[in-house]
Amino acid sequence: MTSICSYLRPDIASMAGYTPGEQPKVGEILKLNTNENPYPPSPAALEAIGSFATPRGAELLRRYPDPVGVDFCKAAAGALGVRPENIIIGNGSDDILTILTRAFVPQGGTIVSPTPSYLLYETLARLQGARFVTVPFTDNWQLPDPWPQRGASITFLPNPNSPSGTVLSLDSIRRLTEQLNGPLIIDEAYADFADGNALELVREGLPVVVTRTFSKGYGLAGLRFGFAVADPTLISHLVKVKDSYNCDTISLAAATAAISDQHWLLENRRLVLATRARLANELANLGFEVTPSHANFVWCRHPSHPAPPLYTALKNEGILVRLMHYPPHAPGLRITVGTEAGTSRLLAALARLVG
Ligand SMILES: *Cc1c(COP(=O)(O)O)cnc(C)c1O
């Protein structure tokens, strides 16, 4: 009998698939590997979720959700200083990246991103039957100028970047858009921890899309909610590409409450940035080379202790960080900024290992 798998598209059958960071069961493990926020989300978001366990909530859940999330778009527009028509909602920002890929990249098209960077873009290229091309960052995490890949169907630029945590100035992003013959997607998953963002470039009418997530700055990775900000006419085309009901009623309500609570966001940011400074400082004291971070993680290497055995030793102690390897560079550790207590536990373990 013929296996049903033999009917798959050959490129799907042979592709490796994206490997997300490990997700162990909640417990003793100190999880510093996927950049989740170490603090609980806004109480307003939790209250919105709780409100569904009522007769009124049951009535709302019986019906389909709002396909475009009008209330969310209004709240987000108010918080960000854009118009509701500038916003499209997604089931996590990975859903937004998929929608953008389907909308802009034909089969046989080209997806470009700098490297070392977010690994999902390559998976999106494979799924779309597109070529994936990377452009190395310069030694100090800037973009090469001139930019060598001008003809891409889409160019993805995470800013702040992962795994480095570095940011590019608005001027260097503007310079990139001048050279491209295609859209630039600025993936701002970590913008809540940075000093600036690229929303201004959307307002200026440049051919850019800014994507955001609730998984990092808002502490709601389990909820799955993200959005993009772009030209209103482009948004109306993107809406045709997305699943009709890509966001559920509960996540829409929670995300609306969360983005309306900017006080929570700023207070959380203050805590994470204070711990980030301490983490970077103490890692440097232990002899690590630490890249200055504008996100909620730090990227580091130790000149005399290779990253792979450090990763394994930490894991054996119940501390999970992300080991990342981008040849030809040596492997490094991407460590999420945790609570003060979690950071103390990590630093104590590393002091024993490299001390
Ligand atoms: C975490 C992350 C995302 C994905 O966010 P979700 O909303 O959880 O899908 C997108 N881009 C980058 C660079 C990220 O680090």
Side-chain angles (χ1 to χ4, degrees):
M1 214 190 307
T2 313
S3 159
I4 192 168
C5 297
S6 68
Y7 301 116
L8 279 166
R9 277 166 45 186
D11 53 344
I12 299 294
S14 66
M15 75 180 266
Y18 178 69
T19 312
E22 297 162 79
Q23 298 293 352
K25 291 270 167 280
V26 174
E28 284 303 284
I29 298 280
L30 175 55
K31 206 175 160 307
L32 302 173
N33 66 330
T34 52
N35 301 341
E36 289 128 334
N37 203 298
Y39 299 107
S42 158
L46 295 177
E47 197 185 309
I49 293 167
S51 76
F52 284 94
T54 61
R56 181 167 175 277
E59 176 56 18
L60 288 171
L61 290 176
R62 192 180 61 75
R63 303 186 200 168
Y64 279 105
D66 176 352
V68 294
V70 170
D71 291 341
F72 172 79
C73 292
K74 280 187 197 151
L80 301 178
V82 297
R83 291 190 286 137
E85 304 77 46
N86 287 116
I87 294 173
I88 181 171
I89 57 171
N91 184 20
S93 72
D94 287 351
D95 180 36
I96 294 285
L97 302 175
T98 302
I99 292 166
L100 290 166
T101 303
R102 287 161 72 189
F104 282 116
V105 185
Q107 247 187 47
T110 306
I111 296 183
V112 173
S113 100
T115 188
S117 184
Y118 192 37
L119 299 169
L120 180 76
Y121 307 134
E122 176 163 13
T123 307
L124 293 175
R126 299 274 167 270
L127 291 173
Q128 194 68 10
R131 275 195 327 137
F132 181 64
V133 178
T134 54
V135 174
F137 277 107
T138 66
D139 287 345
N140 56 350
W141 297 100
Q142 300 299 304
L143 301 177
D145 189 357
W147 181 255
Q149 293 291 336
R150 300 176 176 210
S153 317
I154 206 172
T155 304
F156 286 112
L157 183 71
N159 199 51
N161 185 48
S162 168
S164 61
T166 50
V167 282
L168 296 165
S169 70
L170 274 190
D171 280 346
S172 56
I173 300 175
R174 264 197 204 93
R175 171 80 191 120
L176 176 59
T177 62
E178 284 164 15
Q179 300 178 78
L180 291 177
N181 289 307
L184 177 66
I185 313 307
I186 307 167
D187 181 344
E188 291 196 351
Y190 300 103
D192 299 314
F193 304 104
D195 296 332
N197 61 62
L199 291 173
E200 195 177 317
L201 304 187
V202 176
R203 291 187 207 104
E204 286 172 15
L206 294 179
V208 302
V209 177
V210 170
T211 66
R212 293 283 181 91
T213 177
F214 278 67
S215 301
K216 316 284 165 57
Y218 287 92
L220 288 165
L223 194 72
R224 309 308 305 139
F225 198 86
F227 64 100
V229 185
D231 169 78
T233 310
L234 175 66
I235 295 289
S236 64
H237 288 294
L238 295 177
V239 165
K240 298 184 291 189
V241 176
K242 79 178 187 71
D243 292 347
S244 308
Y245 303 112
N246 61 333
C247 298
D248 63 85
T249 304
I250 297 177
S251 61
L252 276 167
T256 304
I259 205 161
S260 303
D261 189 359
Q262 290 290 304
H263 171 77
W264 180 93
L265 185 75
L266 289 176
E267 182 55 20
N268 178 268
R269 173 189 151 94
R270 198 181 61 75
L271 292 171
V272 171
L273 264 55
T275 309
R276 180 178 78 193
R278 173 187 165 215
L279 174 64
N281 198 26
E282 297 194 21
L283 285 171
N285 289 343
L286 291 172
F288 282 88
E289 293 158 1
V290 186
T291 307
S293 172
H294 299 261
N296 66 334
F297 55 84
V298 299
W299 175 237
C300 61
R301 284 194 192 89
H302 198 286
S304 45
H305 294 271
L310 282 181
Y311 163 82
T312 306
L314 286 174
K315 192 171 174 179
N316 290 339
E317 294 202 30
I319 302 175
L320 206 49
V321 299
R322 191 85 181 257
L323 173 69
M324 302 188 98
H325 189 197
Y326 297 84
H329 307 280
L333 299 178
R334 194 192 67 185
I335 306 177
T336 304
V337 177
T339 60
E340 278 292 305
T343 303
S344 299
R345 186 175 150 198
L346 167 84
L347 288 165
L350 283 175
R352 281 193 302 278
L353 292 168
V354 307

